[in-house]
Amino acid sequence: MKKILIIEDDQMLIKNLLLVLKSEERKLSLAIDGETGLALAKTEKPDLILLDLIIPKIDGFAVLEKLKNEKETKNIPVLILSNLGQAEEIKRAMALGATDYMIKANVDLSQIIDKVKTLLNKVS
Amino acid sequence: MLDKNICENFIEVFPLPMVIIKGNEVLFTNTMFFREFEKDIVTSKIGHKNLLEVLFNVKLAAVRTILKAHNNFSKLLPGGARSKGKMLLNIFYVDKSKNILAAIITPEDYYLNYFTESVNKIKEEFITVASHQLRTPLSIIKWSLEMILLDNNNLSEDQKKMLLQASESNRRMIDLVNNLLTVSRLESQRSEASRGKESISSIVKTVVKENAYWVQASNQRIKVDDKLGKDNTVKVDRDWLRQIIQNLLSNAIKYSNGGTINISLKKTNNKELTKLIGKSEAGAIKSLPMVLFSINDSGVGISREDQRRIFEKFFRSKNIMTLQTEGSGLGLYITKLIIESAGGRIWFRSKKGRGSTFYFVLPLASNKKS
C-alpha cells in the first residue's frame, strides 16, 4: 500500500484532496502545519508528500529544506501544491529539491490525481 | 527657538538644494544649492536680494499671497546645471509668524525614483496578496465544482447548467487574477519571459482540453493542425506560454457564436515571415527558426478604427462590449508583453463581422542536449 502525506492548512482544500485521493491502495495522512508535517514524514515514511508553502509554524520552503537534509526523508518525492506561483518561488522550491510544482488555482483535481499516480509509480 | 548654528548645519547637510529667505533677503543657502545654480548666480550677478525672483522667475509677493491660502507653493522648473530633467520648486513658511520662507528644489529624477520605489513596493505586496488570498478561495470553488460535475448523475439539467455557469465564472476570475499578476510582473521588469523551455504542442493540447466544456456549451468546435513534429519546444516560461494560448483561445471562443476555431502550428523561416509581417519587422527578429502559431475564428471581428488600439492596456472594442460585458481589456496587452519579451511578434488580420486570425511567432529552442 502506497502512503501519501498531505501538508496543507486550508480545511476546504484538505477535504477536496482527501476525497479525490482516497483509494483502497493508498494510505493518506495529514498535517496542518509544518512542524507536524516534518514529524509525520519521519514516522510514517510516506512514498509521496504533497506540500503547501504558506503553512503555520514552519513554512513550506523550510519544511522542504529540512526534508531534503535528513537521511531518512531526503529521497521522498515532494510535490509542491501552492498558490504562490512567481518564477522565483518555483525556482526556489525546485532548487531545494522539490520533484514538481503545481499552482492550485491553475490545475484541475484530475491533473493532480494524474501527477500523483505518475509520481507513485516512479517510486515502486 | 532652535539655535542658529543647528539650523545652519541642518540646511547644509540637507540632500537637496535649499534656500532660506527672510523678507526678501536670502539668509542661508546650502552647498547643494550653490552647486546646482552657481553658474546662474555668477552670470546674472545677483546678490542675495531677489535671488529666487531672478533664478526661478517667481515673485515673492505673489508666493506669499498664495501661501495665505495654501501651505505650500510649488512650480516646475527647467533643468539646472547638474540635474538635466525638470525640477520641482517648493516654497513654504518655516516659522509661526510667517516671515521666514524655505525653498527646496527637487530634481525630477530624485522624486521619480522615490515614487517608483514606493509603487514597486506596493506592487510586490499586491502580488503576494493576490497570489495567496485570492487564489486560495478560487481554488476551493474550482475543485468543489469539478467534483460535483464529475459525479453529476443526481443533478437536473438546469442544475448542471447553473454549475457550469459558476464554473465558467470561477475560471474567468482565476484568469483575471493571473493576468493582473502577469502585468504587475512584466511591467516591473523583474524577469524575462524567455527563461523557460516548453513544448508548445503539449500546452496547446492541454489548454484546448481545459476549454472543452466551454467550447461545447457555446456550440463551437476546435480543430488543431500541428505540423511541428518533435521540434516543438519554445523558449518561454511554461505558465506564460499557457497564458498566451489561453488568452487567444478564450477571445476566439468569447467573440464568436458557433462555428469552428482553427489553430495551426508550424515552423517558419525568415523568408516566410517577411511575407507575413514585412521586411523591417521580420528583420528585427534575430532568433530563427521560429514557431508560427495561428488561431482563426469566424466571430465578430475587429472594426478598422479599433484595430490600432487592440493591444492597449484596458482597451475594449465597442462591438465586443455590446456582445459581452465581461472582460478586463488585459488579455491582448499581456499576450503582446509576454511574446515580445520572449523575442517574438504578434499580429492579426480581421474584418468586422467576418472573424479574426491572430498570429504569433516565438523562437524555437534548440533540441541539442549536452
Side-chain angles (χ1 to χ4, degrees), chain B residues 93-134:
Chain B
Y93 284 116
V94 286
D95 64 330
K96 261 190 189 164
S97 56
K98 299 204 167 172
N99 185 25
I100 301 173
L101 286 166
I104 296 175
I105 295 103
T106 319
E108 191 178 32
D109 51 357
Y110 189 93
Y111 63 76
L112 279 184
N113 276 344
Y114 182 77
F115 183 67
T116 317
E117 268 167 35
S118 29
V119 167
N120 278 344
K121 205 176 154 233
I122 293 168
K123 270 190 181 169
E124 292 291 319
E125 283 165 4
F126 162 76
I127 286 176
T128 314
V129 171
S131 351
H132 201 253
Q133 316 293 44
L134 288 175

mmCIF file of all heavy atoms in Angstrom, chain B residues 93-134:
data_model
loop_
_atom_site.group_PDB
_atom_site.id
_atom_site.type_symbol
_atom_site.label_atom_id
_atom_site.label_comp_id
_atom_site.label_asym_id
_atom_site.label_seq_id
_atom_site.Cartn_x
_atom_site.Cartn_y
_atom_site.Cartn_z
ATOM 1 N N TYR B 93 6.407 78.312 4.552
ATOM 2 C CA TYR B 93 6.874 79.032 5.747
ATOM 3 C C TYR B 93 7.478 78.061 6.740
ATOM 4 O O TYR B 93 6.976 76.945 6.912
ATOM 5 C CB TYR B 93 5.703 79.744 6.428
ATOM 6 C CG TYR B 93 5.279 81.006 5.694
ATOM 7 C CD1 TYR B 93 4.020 81.108 5.126
ATOM 8 C CD2 TYR B 93 6.159 82.079 5.599
ATOM 9 C CE1 TYR B 93 3.628 82.251 4.450
ATOM 10 C CE2 TYR B 93 5.774 83.233 4.923
ATOM 11 C CZ TYR B 93 4.514 83.311 4.355
ATOM 12 O OH TYR B 93 4.150 84.431 3.700
ATOM 13 N N VAL B 94 8.550 78.484 7.389
ATOM 14 C CA VAL B 94 9.102 77.625 8.428
ATOM 15 C C VAL B 94 8.897 78.195 9.831
ATOM 16 O O VAL B 94 9.225 77.553 10.814
ATOM 17 C CB VAL B 94 10.611 77.332 8.199
ATOM 18 C CG1 VAL B 94 10.810 76.351 7.073
ATOM 19 C CG2 VAL B 94 11.392 78.605 7.928
ATOM 20 N N ASP B 95 8.332 79.389 9.906
ATOM 21 C CA ASP B 95 8.112 79.953 11.246
ATOM 22 C C ASP B 95 6.651 80.314 11.445
ATOM 23 O O ASP B 95 5.898 80.472 10.491
ATOM 24 C CB ASP B 95 8.992 81.197 11.443
ATOM 25 C CG ASP B 95 8.586 82.299 10.467
ATOM 26 O OD1 ASP B 95 8.100 81.941 9.357
ATOM 27 O OD2 ASP B 95 8.741 83.479 10.784
ATOM 28 N N LYS B 96 6.266 80.427 12.708
ATOM 29 C CA LYS B 96 4.868 80.676 13.024
ATOM 30 C C LYS B 96 4.422 82.066 12.588
ATOM 31 O O LYS B 96 3.283 82.259 12.176
ATOM 32 C CB LYS B 96 4.660 80.544 14.538
ATOM 33 C CG LYS B 96 4.096 79.186 14.912
ATOM 34 C CD LYS B 96 3.682 79.202 16.372
ATOM 35 C CE LYS B 96 3.319 77.802 16.831
ATOM 36 N NZ LYS B 96 3.294 77.709 18.289
ATOM 37 N N SER B 97 5.302 83.030 12.684
ATOM 38 C CA SER B 97 4.919 84.398 12.359
ATOM 39 C C SER B 97 4.869 84.640 10.850
ATOM 40 O O SER B 97 4.608 85.753 10.400
ATOM 41 C CB SER B 97 5.888 85.374 13.030
ATOM 42 O OG SER B 97 7.204 85.044 12.628
ATOM 43 N N LYS B 98 5.126 83.598 10.067
ATOM 44 C CA LYS B 98 5.027 83.652 8.609
ATOM 45 C C LYS B 98 5.884 84.748 8.015
ATOM 46 O O LYS B 98 5.404 85.672 7.354
ATOM 47 C CB LYS B 98 3.554 83.815 8.178
ATOM 48 C CG LYS B 98 2.711 82.643 8.651
ATOM 49 C CD LYS B 98 1.486 82.447 7.825
ATOM 50 C CE LYS B 98 0.871 81.093 8.134
ATOM 51 N NZ LYS B 98 -0.398 80.874 7.525
ATOM 52 N N ASN B 99 7.128 84.665 8.324
ATOM 53 C CA ASN B 99 8.081 85.623 7.784
ATOM 54 C C ASN B 99 9.180 84.894 7.016
ATOM 55 O O ASN B 99 9.564 85.288 5.925
ATOM 56 C CB ASN B 99 8.668 86.443 8.942
ATOM 57 C CG ASN B 99 9.582 87.547 8.447
ATOM 58 O OD1 ASN B 99 9.427 87.999 7.308
ATOM 59 N ND2 ASN B 99 10.529 87.959 9.261
ATOM 60 N N ILE B 100 9.662 83.803 7.625
ATOM 61 C CA ILE B 100 10.792 83.099 7.024
ATOM 62 C C ILE B 100 10.314 81.984 6.088
ATOM 63 O O ILE B 100 9.480 81.147 6.455
ATOM 64 C CB ILE B 100 11.707 82.512 8.118
ATOM 65 C CG1 ILE B 100 12.198 83.665 9.011
ATOM 66 C CG2 ILE B 100 12.892 81.772 7.505
ATOM 67 C CD1 ILE B 100 12.963 83.228 10.223
ATOM 68 N N LEU B 101 10.847 82.011 4.870
ATOM 69 C CA LEU B 101 10.460 81.019 3.864
ATOM 70 C C LEU B 101 11.594 80.038 3.608
ATOM 71 O O LEU B 101 12.759 80.418 3.645
ATOM 72 C CB LEU B 101 10.167 81.718 2.538
ATOM 73 C CG LEU B 101 8.873 82.500 2.410
ATOM 74 C CD1 LEU B 101 8.928 83.378 1.169
ATOM 75 C CD2 LEU B 101 7.680 81.554 2.329
ATOM 76 N N ALA B 102 11.220 78.794 3.341
ATOM 77 C CA ALA B 102 12.221 77.833 2.873
ATOM 78 C C ALA B 102 11.853 77.456 1.452
ATOM 79 O O ALA B 102 10.686 77.256 1.136
ATOM 80 C CB ALA B 102 12.237 76.596 3.742
ATOM 81 N N ALA B 103 12.867 77.405 0.575
ATOM 82 C CA ALA B 103 12.624 76.935 -0.792
ATOM 83 C C ALA B 103 13.475 75.696 -0.996
ATOM 84 O O ALA B 103 14.684 75.722 -0.760
ATOM 85 C CB ALA B 103 13.001 78.011 -1.797
ATOM 86 N N ILE B 104 12.840 74.600 -1.382
ATOM 87 C CA ILE B 104 13.566 73.350 -1.634
ATOM 88 C C ILE B 104 13.386 72.988 -3.099
ATOM 89 O O ILE B 104 12.270 73.051 -3.635
ATOM 90 C CB ILE B 104 13.037 72.211 -0.749
ATOM 91 C CG1 ILE B 104 13.294 72.552 0.724
ATOM 92 C CG2 ILE B 104 13.695 70.884 -1.098
ATOM 93 C CD1 ILE B 104 12.716 71.554 1.677
ATOM 94 N N ILE B 105 14.466 72.634 -3.746
ATOM 95 C CA ILE B 105 14.390 72.269 -5.162
ATOM 96 C C ILE B 105 14.668 70.782 -5.306
ATOM 97 O O ILE B 105 15.721 70.294 -4.902
ATOM 98 C CB ILE B 105 15.379 73.091 -6.015
ATOM 99 C CG1 ILE B 105 14.962 74.575 -5.985
ATOM 100 C CG2 ILE B 105 15.395 72.633 -7.458
ATOM 101 C CD1 ILE B 105 15.797 75.398 -5.097
ATOM 102 N N THR B 106 13.725 70.061 -5.849
ATOM 103 C CA THR B 106 13.892 68.613 -6.004
ATOM 104 C C THR B 106 13.994 68.249 -7.480
ATOM 105 O O THR B 106 13.056 68.483 -8.240
ATOM 106 C CB THR B 106 12.671 67.871 -5.415
ATOM 107 O OG1 THR B 106 12.310 68.500 -4.203
ATOM 108 C CG2 THR B 106 12.984 66.417 -5.171
ATOM 109 N N PRO B 107 15.106 67.678 -7.914
ATOM 110 C CA PRO B 107 15.223 67.246 -9.308
ATOM 111 C C PRO B 107 14.236 66.116 -9.606
ATOM 112 O O PRO B 107 13.966 65.281 -8.741
ATOM 113 C CB PRO B 107 16.661 66.735 -9.416
ATOM 114 C CG PRO B 107 17.373 67.256 -8.215
ATOM 115 C CD PRO B 107 16.341 67.433 -7.163
ATOM 116 N N GLU B 108 13.747 66.115 -10.835
ATOM 117 C CA GLU B 108 12.727 65.146 -11.252
ATOM 118 C C GLU B 108 13.165 63.695 -11.024
ATOM 119 O O GLU B 108 12.416 62.881 -10.509
ATOM 120 C CB GLU B 108 12.474 65.357 -12.750
ATOM 121 C CG GLU B 108 11.275 64.625 -13.300
ATOM 122 C CD GLU B 108 11.088 64.932 -14.782
ATOM 123 O OE1 GLU B 108 12.096 65.158 -15.482
ATOM 124 O OE2 GLU B 108 9.933 64.952 -15.221
ATOM 125 N N ASP B 109 14.433 63.391 -11.407
ATOM 126 C CA ASP B 109 14.856 62.004 -11.268
ATOM 127 C C ASP B 109 14.836 61.572 -9.807
ATOM 128 O O ASP B 109 14.580 60.424 -9.480
ATOM 129 C CB ASP B 109 16.235 61.750 -11.908
ATOM 130 C CG ASP B 109 17.273 62.749 -11.448
ATOM 131 O OD1 ASP B 109 16.911 63.654 -10.681
ATOM 132 O OD2 ASP B 109 18.440 62.611 -11.854
ATOM 133 N N TYR B 110 15.058 62.520 -8.904
ATOM 134 C CA TYR B 110 15.040 62.210 -7.477
ATOM 135 C C TYR B 110 13.632 61.833 -7.018
ATOM 136 O O TYR B 110 13.410 60.780 -6.459
ATOM 137 C CB TYR B 110 15.544 63.417 -6.696
ATOM 138 C CG TYR B 110 15.779 63.151 -5.237
ATOM 139 C CD1 TYR B 110 17.035 62.767 -4.782
ATOM 140 C CD2 TYR B 110 14.752 63.282 -4.302
ATOM 141 C CE1 TYR B 110 17.267 62.526 -3.442
ATOM 142 C CE2 TYR B 110 14.976 63.033 -2.965
ATOM 143 C CZ TYR B 110 16.238 62.663 -2.533
ATOM 144 O OH TYR B 110 16.452 62.421 -1.213
ATOM 145 N N TYR B 111 12.657 62.682 -7.338
ATOM 146 C CA TYR B 111 11.323 62.346 -6.842
ATOM 147 C C TYR B 111 10.683 61.218 -7.628
ATOM 148 O O TYR B 111 9.898 60.446 -7.101
ATOM 149 C CB TYR B 111 10.402 63.565 -6.676
ATOM 150 C CG TYR B 111 10.029 64.352 -7.907
ATOM 151 C CD1 TYR B 111 9.081 63.864 -8.810
ATOM 152 C CD2 TYR B 111 10.569 65.601 -8.147
ATOM 153 C CE1 TYR B 111 8.715 64.601 -9.919
ATOM 154 C CE2 TYR B 111 10.217 66.340 -9.256
ATOM 155 C CZ TYR B 111 9.287 65.835 -10.146
ATOM 156 O OH TYR B 111 8.923 66.552 -11.234
ATOM 157 N N LEU B 112 11.080 61.101 -8.915
ATOM 158 C CA LEU B 112 10.527 59.975 -9.680
ATOM 159 C C LEU B 112 11.035 58.640 -9.141
ATOM 160 O O LEU B 112 10.288 57.685 -9.007
ATOM 161 C CB LEU B 112 10.879 60.094 -11.163
ATOM 162 C CG LEU B 112 9.988 61.030 -11.955
ATOM 163 C CD1 LEU B 112 10.355 60.993 -13.422
ATOM 164 C CD2 LEU B 112 8.509 60.695 -11.768
ATOM 165 N N ASN B 113 12.336 58.594 -8.816
ATOM 166 C CA ASN B 113 12.887 57.372 -8.240
ATOM 167 C C ASN B 113 12.188 57.001 -6.959
ATOM 168 O O ASN B 113 11.853 55.858 -6.710
ATOM 169 C CB ASN B 113 14.382 57.545 -7.919
ATOM 170 C CG ASN B 113 15.210 57.288 -9.145
ATOM 171 O OD1 ASN B 113 14.714 56.714 -10.110
ATOM 172 N ND2 ASN B 113 16.451 57.731 -9.110
ATOM 173 N N TYR B 114 11.977 58.027 -6.140
ATOM 174 C CA TYR B 114 11.327 57.802 -4.866
ATOM 175 C C TYR B 114 9.929 57.225 -5.097
ATOM 176 O O TYR B 114 9.525 56.252 -4.503
ATOM 177 C CB TYR B 114 11.236 59.128 -4.118
ATOM 178 C CG TYR B 114 10.609 58.991 -2.771
ATOM 179 C CD1 TYR B 114 11.333 58.468 -1.707
ATOM 180 C CD2 TYR B 114 9.282 59.353 -2.566
ATOM 181 C CE1 TYR B 114 10.762 58.318 -0.471
ATOM 182 C CE2 TYR B 114 8.695 59.208 -1.326
ATOM 183 C CZ TYR B 114 9.441 58.698 -0.283
ATOM 184 O OH TYR B 114 8.852 58.538 0.937
ATOM 185 N N PHE B 115 9.236 57.840 -6.067
ATOM 186 C CA PHE B 115 7.886 57.424 -6.378
ATOM 187 C C PHE B 115 7.870 55.996 -6.929
ATOM 188 O O PHE B 115 7.086 55.152 -6.504
ATOM 189 C CB PHE B 115 7.319 58.403 -7.412
ATOM 190 C CG PHE B 115 5.894 58.137 -7.784
ATOM 191 C CD1 PHE B 115 4.887 58.311 -6.869
ATOM 192 C CD2 PHE B 115 5.565 57.718 -9.068
ATOM 193 C CE1 PHE B 115 3.572 58.065 -7.211
ATOM 194 C CE2 PHE B 115 4.258 57.477 -9.422
ATOM 195 C CZ PHE B 115 3.258 57.658 -8.486
ATOM 196 N N THR B 116 8.776 55.698 -7.868
ATOM 197 C CA THR B 116 8.828 54.376 -8.475
ATOM 198 C C THR B 116 9.101 53.303 -7.430
ATOM 199 O O THR B 116 8.500 52.238 -7.445
ATOM 200 C CB THR B 116 9.939 54.313 -9.545
ATOM 201 O OG1 THR B 116 9.886 55.502 -10.296
ATOM 202 C CG2 THR B 116 9.761 53.127 -10.457
ATOM 203 N N GLU B 117 10.008 53.641 -6.507
ATOM 204 C CA GLU B 117 10.311 52.662 -5.464
ATOM 205 C C GLU B 117 9.088 52.327 -4.638
ATOM 206 O O GLU B 117 8.823 51.168 -4.354
ATOM 207 C CB GLU B 117 11.413 53.195 -4.544
ATOM 208 C CG GLU B 117 12.789 52.773 -5.002
ATOM 209 C CD GLU B 117 13.881 53.545 -4.284
ATOM 210 O OE1 GLU B 117 13.695 53.866 -3.088
ATOM 211 O OE2 GLU B 117 14.899 53.832 -4.929
ATOM 212 N N SER B 118 8.311 53.358 -4.256
ATOM 213 C CA SER B 118 7.157 53.038 -3.425
ATOM 214 C C SER B 118 6.090 52.304 -4.231
ATOM 215 O O SER B 118 5.426 51.424 -3.713
ATOM 216 C CB SER B 118 6.584 54.264 -2.724
ATOM 217 O OG SER B 118 6.810 55.408 -3.472
ATOM 218 N N VAL B 119 5.958 52.653 -5.510
ATOM 219 C CA VAL B 119 4.985 51.943 -6.336
ATOM 220 C C VAL B 119 5.380 50.476 -6.468
ATOM 221 O O VAL B 119 4.547 49.572 -6.347
ATOM 222 C CB VAL B 119 4.863 52.588 -7.736
ATOM 223 C CG1 VAL B 119 4.110 51.678 -8.691
ATOM 224 C CG2 VAL B 119 4.144 53.917 -7.635
ATOM 225 N N ASN B 120 6.677 50.227 -6.683
ATOM 226 C CA ASN B 120 7.122 48.838 -6.799
ATOM 227 C C ASN B 120 6.881 48.048 -5.526
ATOM 228 O O ASN B 120 6.544 46.880 -5.568
ATOM 229 C CB ASN B 120 8.607 48.783 -7.163
ATOM 230 C CG ASN B 120 8.802 48.966 -8.650
ATOM 231 O OD1 ASN B 120 7.848 48.839 -9.420
ATOM 232 N ND2 ASN B 120 10.008 49.293 -9.055
ATOM 233 N N LYS B 121 7.030 48.733 -4.394
ATOM 234 C CA LYS B 121 6.800 48.050 -3.126
ATOM 235 C C LYS B 121 5.324 47.659 -3.002
ATOM 236 O O LYS B 121 4.993 46.555 -2.588
ATOM 237 C CB LYS B 121 7.212 48.961 -1.968
ATOM 238 C CG LYS B 121 7.571 48.168 -0.749
ATOM 239 C CD LYS B 121 8.068 49.027 0.382
ATOM 240 C CE LYS B 121 7.794 48.319 1.676
ATOM 241 N NZ LYS B 121 7.061 49.152 2.633
ATOM 242 N N ILE B 122 4.448 48.598 -3.394
ATOM 243 C CA ILE B 122 3.017 48.304 -3.345
ATOM 244 C C ILE B 122 2.707 47.127 -4.267
ATOM 245 O O ILE B 122 1.943 46.229 -3.932
ATOM 246 C CB ILE B 122 2.194 49.549 -3.751
ATOM 247 C CG1 ILE B 122 2.368 50.641 -2.704
ATOM 248 C CG2 ILE B 122 0.722 49.198 -3.916
ATOM 249 C CD1 ILE B 122 1.847 52.003 -3.120
ATOM 250 N N LYS B 123 3.348 47.118 -5.449
ATOM 251 C CA LYS B 123 3.117 46.034 -6.399
ATOM 252 C C LYS B 123 3.540 44.678 -5.828
ATOM 253 O O LYS B 123 2.840 43.694 -5.972
ATOM 254 C CB LYS B 123 3.909 46.299 -7.681
ATOM 255 C CG LYS B 123 3.138 47.092 -8.695
ATOM 256 C CD LYS B 123 3.896 47.105 -10.003
ATOM 257 C CE LYS B 123 3.152 47.913 -11.039
ATOM 258 N NZ LYS B 123 3.994 48.148 -12.215
ATOM 259 N N GLU B 124 4.699 44.673 -5.181
ATOM 260 C CA GLU B 124 5.186 43.431 -4.571
ATOM 261 C C GLU B 124 4.163 42.893 -3.577
ATOM 262 O O GLU B 124 3.844 41.717 -3.572
ATOM 263 C CB GLU B 124 6.488 43.691 -3.796
ATOM 264 C CG GLU B 124 7.670 44.045 -4.651
ATOM 265 C CD GLU B 124 8.134 42.867 -5.477
ATOM 266 O OE1 GLU B 124 8.158 41.755 -4.924
ATOM 267 O OE2 GLU B 124 8.438 43.061 -6.658
ATOM 268 N N GLU B 125 3.661 43.818 -2.738
ATOM 269 C CA GLU B 125 2.700 43.399 -1.728
ATOM 270 C C GLU B 125 1.437 42.877 -2.386
ATOM 271 O O GLU B 125 0.882 41.873 -1.985
ATOM 272 C CB GLU B 125 2.370 44.568 -0.798
ATOM 273 C CG GLU B 125 3.459 44.813 0.203
ATOM 274 C CD GLU B 125 3.325 46.163 0.892
ATOM 275 O OE1 GLU B 125 2.325 46.878 0.640
ATOM 276 O OE2 GLU B 125 4.222 46.503 1.657
ATOM 277 N N PHE B 126 1.034 43.568 -3.453
ATOM 278 C CA PHE B 126 -0.161 43.146 -4.168
ATOM 279 C C PHE B 126 0.012 41.728 -4.712
ATOM 280 O O PHE B 126 -0.890 40.898 -4.625
ATOM 281 C CB PHE B 126 -0.469 44.114 -5.320
ATOM 282 C CG PHE B 126 -1.404 43.530 -6.335
ATOM 283 C CD1 PHE B 126 -2.757 43.425 -6.060
ATOM 284 C CD2 PHE B 126 -0.923 43.040 -7.539
ATOM 285 C CE1 PHE B 126 -3.612 42.859 -6.976
ATOM 286 C CE2 PHE B 126 -1.772 42.466 -8.455
ATOM 287 C CZ PHE B 126 -3.119 42.380 -8.180
ATOM 288 N N ILE B 127 1.188 41.455 -5.254
ATOM 289 C CA ILE B 127 1.441 40.148 -5.847
ATOM 290 C C ILE B 127 1.267 39.044 -4.798
ATOM 291 O O ILE B 127 0.608 38.042 -5.037
ATOM 292 C CB ILE B 127 2.860 40.077 -6.462
ATOM 293 C CG1 ILE B 127 2.879 40.890 -7.760
ATOM 294 C CG2 ILE B 127 3.281 38.646 -6.742
ATOM 295 C CD1 ILE B 127 4.229 40.984 -8.414
ATOM 296 N N THR B 128 1.830 39.263 -3.623
ATOM 297 C CA THR B 128 1.712 38.250 -2.578
ATOM 298 C C THR B 128 0.258 38.059 -2.161
ATOM 299 O O THR B 128 -0.226 36.937 -2.054
ATOM 300 C CB THR B 128 2.544 38.665 -1.349
ATOM 301 O OG1 THR B 128 3.806 39.104 -1.810
ATOM 302 C CG2 THR B 128 2.724 37.510 -0.409
ATOM 303 N N VAL B 129 -0.429 39.189 -1.939
ATOM 304 C CA VAL B 129 -1.820 39.095 -1.511
ATOM 305 C C VAL B 129 -2.657 38.406 -2.589
ATOM 306 O O VAL B 129 -3.423 37.480 -2.319
ATOM 307 C CB VAL B 129 -2.404 40.492 -1.206
ATOM 308 C CG1 VAL B 129 -3.893 40.410 -0.974
ATOM 309 C CG2 VAL B 129 -1.718 41.082 0.014
ATOM 310 N N ALA B 130 -2.460 38.854 -3.846
ATOM 311 C CA ALA B 130 -3.272 38.295 -4.922
ATOM 312 C C ALA B 130 -3.015 36.812 -5.090
ATOM 313 O O ALA B 130 -3.948 36.029 -5.226
ATOM 314 C CB ALA B 130 -2.999 39.030 -6.225
ATOM 315 N N SER B 131 -1.720 36.426 -5.043
ATOM 316 C CA SER B 131 -1.470 35.016 -5.290
ATOM 317 C C SER B 131 -2.113 34.171 -4.227
ATOM 318 O O SER B 131 -2.769 33.193 -4.511
ATOM 319 C CB SER B 131 0.008 34.649 -5.340
ATOM 320 O OG SER B 131 0.824 35.731 -5.338
ATOM 321 N N HIS B 132 -1.925 34.572 -2.994
ATOM 322 C CA HIS B 132 -2.399 33.667 -1.972
ATOM 323 C C HIS B 132 -3.847 33.886 -1.575
ATOM 324 O O HIS B 132 -4.656 32.986 -1.642
ATOM 325 C CB HIS B 132 -1.472 33.707 -0.761
ATOM 326 C CG HIS B 132 -1.613 32.484 0.068
ATOM 327 N ND1 HIS B 132 -2.248 32.484 1.277
ATOM 328 C CD2 HIS B 132 -1.256 31.209 -0.176
ATOM 329 C CE1 HIS B 132 -2.253 31.261 1.745
ATOM 330 N NE2 HIS B 132 -1.651 30.456 0.890
ATOM 331 N N GLN B 133 -4.173 35.133 -1.187
ATOM 332 C CA GLN B 133 -5.513 35.366 -0.636
ATOM 333 C C GLN B 133 -6.624 35.283 -1.676
ATOM 334 O O GLN B 133 -7.752 34.977 -1.357
ATOM 335 C CB GLN B 133 -5.587 36.732 0.056
ATOM 336 C CG GLN B 133 -4.407 37.063 0.921
ATOM 337 C CD GLN B 133 -4.297 36.174 2.128
ATOM 338 O OE1 GLN B 133 -4.464 34.960 2.024
ATOM 339 N NE2 GLN B 133 -4.015 36.763 3.275
ATOM 340 N N LEU B 134 -6.315 35.602 -2.918
ATOM 341 C CA LEU B 134 -7.376 35.494 -3.925
ATOM 342 C C LEU B 134 -7.428 34.094 -4.525
ATOM 343 O O LEU B 134 -8.502 33.551 -4.753
ATOM 344 C CB LEU B 134 -7.170 36.511 -5.048
ATOM 345 C CG LEU B 134 -7.443 37.967 -4.717
ATOM 346 C CD1 LEU B 134 -7.078 38.863 -5.881
ATOM 347 C CD2 LEU B 134 -8.917 38.155 -4.389
#
